[in-house]
Amino acid sequence: MCGIVAAVGNIDTDKCQRMLHRIKHRGPDDTGEIRRGDVWLGHQRLSIMDVAGGHQPLTDSGATTYLVANGEIYNHRHIREDLGHELFETGSDSEAALHALIVDGPVGLARLRGMFALAFATGDGDFLAARDPLGVKPLYWARRDDVILFASELRAFDEEDRPLVESFPPGHCWSPAGGLVRFADAIPAHVRPARRADEPGVWDRALVKAVRESIVTAVENRMMSDVGVGVFLSGGLDSAIVAAVAADYAAKHGQPLPTFAVGSEGSSDLAAARVVAEYLDAKHGNIEHHEILMSKQDAIDALPRAVTAIEHYDPSLVRSAVPNLLLAEYASRRVHAVLTGEGADELFAGYSYYHEEPFTDPDALQAELVRTVGELHHLNLQRCDRASMAFGLEAREPFLDRDVVELALSIPPEHKMVRPGVEEKKLLRDAFEGWLPESILRRGKEQFGDGSGAKEVLENAVRESPDVTAAAGVELRNREEAGFYAIWHRELAGIRPDATLGLFATT
């Protein structure tokens, strides 16, 4: 996990270096930059794979091509085997992306399984930028007449460039010669529910097994690290499943598993997370559980930092970002990477509004699940990335593995609908029977900002916010959002929300 800056065209080296410095928090371990002709590449590194040898920009043996990348390529070992180990000079997973592009050109992006934003250049000035299909890793660009600028965060851009900044679209690559080209869809076109469910809420063993095995494989792939991995454990179903699989994997490899929970005194999240940690430790003997107690004043004090860190003002995001930020600050002193449960609600219909009109119709529910998965890159994934990377901590999301996404969205939507005797996400719960305490398997959905105790505190903190006004040039939905927007605007004035952010359907 890192931060990148790139520029192609009329290069202003001082500008590029300022941009890179503004995202130093994303990669505090190392800094690298290179200029070749009309291309400049910069990198802030968080050392997770090949700590000693993974300096970026990466280059080939002849120093004719260069790459900076943010993220993780989980199948880098398979790519090494396919392309030939003799090509590789480091143990960095990002080097797999470098050689895939050298060998195959832009088509090589199809080889990459993981989360990434990257910039690739050749010694004679060719350039390519790309972002993973779901947009798990952030990338923005500003297109001027004489130069195009790329960066991992909004704050990287100079004030005069901010009105031009846009979110770089997930699953796309751009080059001066080819322009903007889609190389992969967030949801591949072939992913459709196979058929209507004959008995909604009743599934065979094969489906339960497939769901379980796809998630187990995704978690195990994300345990890849030379410096250790932990788990953000909210006490909800999704993070508990991730923790259970990670604990099993870590025990088999003789490793401890740090888990981290945050909440106010007496909060339901802290209590549930403790139950999970104790259960898994009794089973595997390798859990190192950490609790961060959040007072009302802690939440209020963290609010401006959280809005600034996540570069967003949506109320649902901000409420969860405050405890998330405190959790990341603590965890970053103990691990370099954590696993989270992001994406499970969108794949298995965990949110309560999915079970209200008009989504009680299976086709409407399926369409909304597909839509919200495709929108994650500028909502939950933005909050997850920024809150962790504010402290140089990498967040990994097993539920958003390509195989898990494709399987989950191919399941008949009737199997995800609530009805008498069938709670939300029942299929997911059934898939992990025996892995967790029954009380956790059957625990109802609770938003992170609610379960941690942050929601009411933060609503009160901005209760005196001014009414929504047209002066901002932005449609704000209530006083709470207006209060969060005021903080956002102080830090990111000039950025156009309509070009860079998304909003939840509900506030």
Side-chain angles (χ1 to χ4, degrees), residues 239-482:
S239 66
I241 287 172
V242 170
V245 179
D248 183 66
Y249 177 92
K252 290 174 181 175
H253 291 79
Q255 301 169 356
L257 182 72
T259 56
F260 304 92
V262 63
S264 58
E265 187 171 0
S267 68
S268 57
D269 275 2
L270 276 184
R274 195 177 307 132
V275 169
V276 175
E278 290 173 353
Y279 178 89
L280 295 178
D281 193 52
K283 187 174 183 179
H284 299 291
N286 65 341
I287 302 298
E288 298 174 354
H289 189 56
H290 304 263
E291 293 185 353
I292 297 88
L293 196 62
M294 178 183 67
S295 69
K296 289 185 178 180
Q297 195 59 50
D298 290 335
I300 292 170
D301 291 345
L303 173 59
R305 288 196 299 146
V307 173
T308 300
I310 67 170
E311 302 186 324
H312 216 306
Y313 54 83
D314 181 278
S316 295
L317 284 181
V318 175
R319 291 181 208 129
S320 58
V322 165
N324 207 172
L325 194 76
L326 297 174
L327 192 64
E329 184 174 23
Y330 179 92
S332 67
R333 298 193 289 267
R334 290 156 179 83
V335 294
H336 275 53
V338 291
L339 307 185
T340 80
E342 303 294 338
D345 285 317
E346 289 79 5
L347 293 173
F348 292 94
Y351 295 128
S352 59
Y353 90 92
Y354 286 138
H355 307 293
E356 301 169 357
E357 292 289 348
F359 307 120
T360 51
D361 173 75
D363 291 335
L365 174 60
Q366 178 70 10
E368 180 65 1
L369 296 177
V370 169
R371 186 192 71 81
T372 51
V373 170
E375 293 290 307
L376 276 171
H377 66 280
H378 52 202
L379 291 169
N380 275 344
L381 288 175
Q382 179 167 333
R383 185 260 308 153
C384 186
D385 172 85
R386 302 296 203 289
S388 59
M389 289 307 295
F391 304 101
L393 178 70
E394 175 175 282
R396 300 175 176 179
E397 298 83 9
F399 282 103
L400 295 177
D401 179 88
R402 187 170 73 186
D403 288 343
V404 177
V405 171
E406 292 189 6
L407 173 62
L409 293 180
S410 70
I411 295 169
E414 294 94 333
H415 282 332
K416 301 174 186 178
M417 299 173 74
V418 171
R419 52 181 49 81
V422 180
E423 69 268 60
E424 97 281 347
K425 295 194 287 193
K426 185 175 188 300
L427 174 57
L428 189 58
R429 299 172 194 276
D430 288 356
F432 285 90
E433 281 190 355
W435 289 69
L436 291 165
E438 191 67 16
S439 62
I440 300 299
L441 271 178
R442 304 305 164 191
R443 186 187 181 203
K445 174 65 181 172
E446 193 168 11
Q447 300 285 359
F448 185 39
D450 300 347
S452 65
K455 183 176 185 289
E456 184 177 355
V457 173
L458 298 179
E459 285 177 340
N460 290 335
V462 293
R463 193 174 296 281
E464 301 306 317
S465 299
D467 280 321
V468 175
T469 68
V474 176
E475 184 178 347
L476 301 170
R477 296 170 288 181
N478 53 43
R479 284 182 180 269
E480 185 183 12
E481 187 164 85

Side-chain angles (χ1 to χ4, degrees), residues 20 32 58 95 110 167 170 177 229 273 357 418 420 480:
L20 189 62
L58 290 163
E95 193 179 359
S167 179
V229 176
E357 292 289 348
V418 171
E480 185 183 12

